[in-house]
Amino acid sequence: MKKIVSLALSFCLLLPFVFLLAGCSKDTNKEVLHVYNWEDYISEPTQNSDGTTEDDYVDLLAEFEEEYGVTVEYSTFGTNENMYNELQINPGAYDLVCPSDYMIMKMISEDMVEPFTDEFLQNSTYMKYASPYIKELFEENGWTKYAVAYMWGTMGYVYNPELSDTVEEDLSSWAGLWQEQYASVATIKDSVRDSYFLGVAAVYRDELMALKEQFEKGELDRMAYNAKVTEIMNRTDEKTIEAAKEALLELKKNLYGFEVDSGKQDMVVGRISINFAWSGDAVYTMDDAEPYFNEETGKEEPGIYLNYIVPEECSNIWFDGWVMPKGANVELAQKFIDFLSRPENAVANMNYIGYTSAIAGDAVFTEMTDWYSEGEEGDLDEEGAPLVPYDLNYFFNGTSDGAYKDGDYIIYVSAESAKRQISAQYPTQEVLDRSAIMQHFDDATNAKVNEMWEEVKGLPIPVWAYIVIAVIAAGIIIVALSYVYKGKHSDPKPRKGYYRVTK
């Protein structure tokens, strides 16, 4: 009893200090935003091997922390599936995550995300500067209330135009990669969804081209045309899955290999000459490969000029977007999205990542003009040919703060430049008309498509191997049965009138 009284008195004496410390902690602790994003997917300073940093890129996380007086706990993931599994294991652990299109659909359908507030949907920086094309796309698909776009683009082929006299014509179709002359010089994605898309595009080439012809003749309007392309490219019936598998197995014989990230460097060093690529990776590849002037040595460094092409049948419009998982700090998450949606911060992100932001605005268009413009209307390129207009009004109209007017968002470039970075950065309206969004597959469909992909990726087992395996298995079964039989009859029966005693 004395000990209990003593402890109680001690606690009472310490209580004022406990409250004092608690008050200090409350005043000094900062609000924390938990962000879960792809690797290398936000502007940050370059980290040197010795632990120092280079002041070469904007540190967006640090700027947000300083401006809002908060702390950002920033984590990264490598695949949509890893991200999804993490959210299942640790619900409520993150305020903001950045999945891709089909995973966003899955999370919305499973009621895993918080809606944005009415104030955000009406008056946010994002709603002011996001491209009207992107906002319309989200509105049409019912995602506006639950997701905002971060980066977006298409899929196509990055290729070396010097590879052959017909390479551009050949790769104007997805099926061009199946030609024997391109054996061992190309890679495709080690990604079931992307490579399945490639297989389906090759299988249904004739149907897709017939639709394109109907659209060009005016027999289909834009929405109907795009809806039909989207339906074809998301087919998952058994016939389609089997046909895509056979097409990819045939293509596999020609490939240098499968890749997710190494294709960029393989193109730059000339190890391969064709890469099935996301448009953001295509921009990075073309930038890194081309010749440049080395200021330190004062010499022109050698390189190669690569092109990007979206085949005529169709493409995939992909996007990565921000969603708020259930239990998120909605207010703080929305502040972070608005911060990233300032055009100057979108420029910083594009400079670092190489992908195309969903944000438009004056600062972004000015940056694109600095990157790509080669003159004004009527000017000639280095070969004496007129510059061609590259129309970006579909993306930038309605987002200006006064520096530009709607209809003025046109950049003049050479015909050759129109095949390069700018076409990967901003697809033309004609490309968008035939571009489909990958839809979310349910679990049963996913299982079938994944099984197909395992067969494509795995090594085929010859018939003789199956026979050998069957013979060995039969032998094992026979031996096992013989031991069982022997075990049952090896002991002699007890004499009549007795019984066996067991331990």
Side-chain angles (χ1 to χ4, degrees):
M1 180 61 71
K2 288 181 179 179
K3 289 182 178 180
I4 293 173
V5 171
S6 178
L7 286 171
L9 289 172
S10 299
F11 178 77
C12 290
L13 291 171
L14 289 172
L15 201 57
F17 296 100
V18 171
F19 283 124
L20 179 62
L21 289 173
C24 291
S25 177
K26 185 175 180 181
D27 292 337
T28 57
N29 276 352
K30 295 181 179 180
E31 198 172 10
V32 179
L33 177 70
H34 300 274
V35 179
Y36 201 26
N37 195 8
W38 295 89
E39 297 169 359
D40 300 320
Y41 219 39
I42 195 167
S43 179
E44 58 185 352
T46 300
Q47 302 290 325
N48 297 321
S49 57
D50 60 0
T52 61
T53 60
E54 297 288 341
D55 189 21
D56 48 357
Y57 293 102
V58 178
D59 191 340
L60 288 179
L61 294 178
E63 288 194 0
F64 177 76
E65 289 178 325
E66 182 177 356
E67 180 173 340
Y68 287 92
V70 301
T71 298
V72 177
E73 292 289 343
Y74 189 81
S75 307
T76 62
F77 57 86
T79 70
N80 281 294
E81 289 67 30
N82 288 347
M83 179 277 304
Y84 177 83
N85 291 336
E86 170 67 15
L87 294 184
Q88 294 291 87
I89 296 170
N90 295 307
Y94 300 97
D95 302 302
L96 207 54
V97 298
C98 188
S100 300
D101 35 41
Y102 71 91
M103 187 57 71
I104 288 175
M105 297 178 217
K106 178 178 175 68
M107 292 174 69
I108 292 174
S109 70
E110 295 180 2
D111 194 28
M112 291 179 62
V113 295
E114 298 280 1
F116 289 96
T117 64
D118 291 340
E119 175 66 19
F120 179 91
L121 295 175
Q122 293 169 11
N123 301 311
S124 63
T125 305
Y126 173 82
M127 296 306 290
K128 178 179 180 179
Y129 290 114
S131 164
Y133 167 74
I134 298 293
K135 288 192 290 187
E136 183 179 350
L137 191 69
F138 273 52
E139 189 67 34
E140 289 174 354
N141 287 277
W143 306 322
T144 301
K145 190 176 179 180
Y146 298 100
V148 300
Y150 184 47
M151 300 288 162
W152 74 289
T154 59
M155 291 205 75
Y157 289 132
V158 181
Y159 67 96
N160 185 342
E162 303 297 322
L163 182 60
S164 76
D165 293 337
T166 62
V167 64
E168 183 176 335
E169 179 183 352
D170 296 336
L171 296 184
S172 65
S173 168
W174 289 114
L177 201 60
W178 274 255
Q179 295 187 24
E180 288 186 9
Q181 64 176 317
Y182 302 124
S184 301
V185 299
T187 55
I188 67 171
K189 287 285 167 277
D190 189 0
S191 161
V192 57
R193 291 301 301 265
D194 296 303
S195 291
Y196 179 68
F197 189 97
L198 173 63
V200 172
V203 167
Y204 290 109
R205 169 174 165 72
D206 291 343
E207 189 174 346
L208 289 162
M209 291 305 295
L211 284 173
K212 188 172 187 288
E213 185 178 351
Q214 285 182 274
F215 174 62
E216 291 171 346
K217 288 180 177 179
E219 297 172 3
L220 285 174
D221 64 28
R222 178 169 290 154
M223 288 188 65
Y225 173 48
N226 187 267
K228 287 180 178 293
V229 171
T230 300
E231 181 275 321
I232 292 172
M233 297 312 300
N234 284 282
R235 286 179 183 170
T236 54
D237 56 276
E238 289 186 11
K239 178 182 175 182
T240 298
I241 293 175
E242 183 64 24
K245 182 187 78 173
E246 293 303 321
L248 291 171
L249 283 171
E250 187 65 28
L251 177 60
K252 181 181 175 181
K253 300 173 185 177
N254 271 4
L255 293 177
Y256 178 83
F258 299 90
E259 61 83 30
V260 173
D261 194 54
S262 61
K264 301 192 292 289
Q265 189 59 26
D266 287 341
M267 285 293 297
V268 170
V269 301
R271 191 172 292 119
I272 59 174
S273 299
I274 304 172
N275 182 222
F276 174 47
W278 298 297
S279 53
D281 281 355
V283 173
Y284 176 94
T285 303
M286 289 184 282
D287 283 347
D288 209 31
E290 64 186 27
Y292 71 97
F293 182 76
N294 190 324
E295 295 183 356
E296 293 183 2
T297 63
K299 296 180 180 179
E300 185 78 14
E301 298 292 339
I304 50 177
Y305 286 101
L306 303 173
N307 288 354
Y308 179 73
I309 190 169
V310 173
E312 58 187 346
E313 298 96 338
C314 63
S315 185
N316 163 228
I317 284 290
W318 61 264
F319 62 86
D320 298 321
W322 295 108
V323 297
M324 302 179 293
K326 286 289 185 180
N329 183 333
V330 171
E331 182 180 357
L332 191 55
Q334 290 179 163
K335 287 179 180 178
F336 186 70
I337 292 171
D338 263 7
F339 174 78
L340 294 180
S341 299
R342 297 172 189 172
E344 63 272 19
N345 290 341
V347 168
N349 260 337
M350 291 171 70
N351 281 328
Y352 179 83
I353 301 169
Y355 280 53
T356 306
S357 173
I359 301 302
D362 295 341
V364 178
F365 184 71
T366 298
E367 188 77 358
M368 294 305 101
T369 302
D370 291 344
W371 283 2
Y372 299 125
S373 177
E374 298 177 49
E376 303 293 335
E377 183 178 8
D379 290 347
L380 305 179
D381 64 19
E382 294 179 354
E383 303 298 324
L387 297 179
V388 298
Y390 203 92
D391 193 341
L392 298 177
N393 281 291
Y394 78 89
F395 191 84
F396 287 92
N397 274 350
T399 64
S400 177
D401 285 322
Y404 302 94
K405 294 185 297 183
D406 287 359
D408 288 348
Y409 297 105
I410 298 175
I411 295 174
Y412 289 88
V413 299
S414 67
E416 283 303 309
S417 295
K419 302 174 185 177
R420 305 190 69 243
Q421 281 95 327
I422 194 169
S423 68
Q425 201 92 59
Y426 295 100
T428 63
Q429 183 65 60
E430 186 265 338
V431 168
L432 294 177
D433 290 340
R434 64 178 193 270
S435 294
I437 293 175
M438 289 184 192
Q439 301 298 311
H440 158 56
F441 294 164
D442 60 31
D443 291 342
T445 301
N446 262 330
K448 292 177 182 178
V449 174
N450 285 329
E451 183 180 353
M452 175 279 301
W453 184 239
E454 288 301 319
E455 289 188 55
V456 171
K457 289 290 300 298
L459 295 174
I461 301 176
V463 175
W464 63 263
Y466 282 110
I467 295 172
V468 171
I469 292 170
V471 170
I472 293 173
I476 292 172
I477 292 171
I478 291 170
V479 171
L481 289 174
S482 69
Y483 273 106
V484 171
Y485 183 84
K486 183 179 178 181
K488 286 183 177 180
H489 300 281
S490 58
D491 294 333
K493 292 182 179 179
R495 290 182 340 190
K496 191 174 180 180
Y498 293 81
Y499 59 91
R500 180 177 292 112
V501 177
T502 57
K503 294 181 180 180

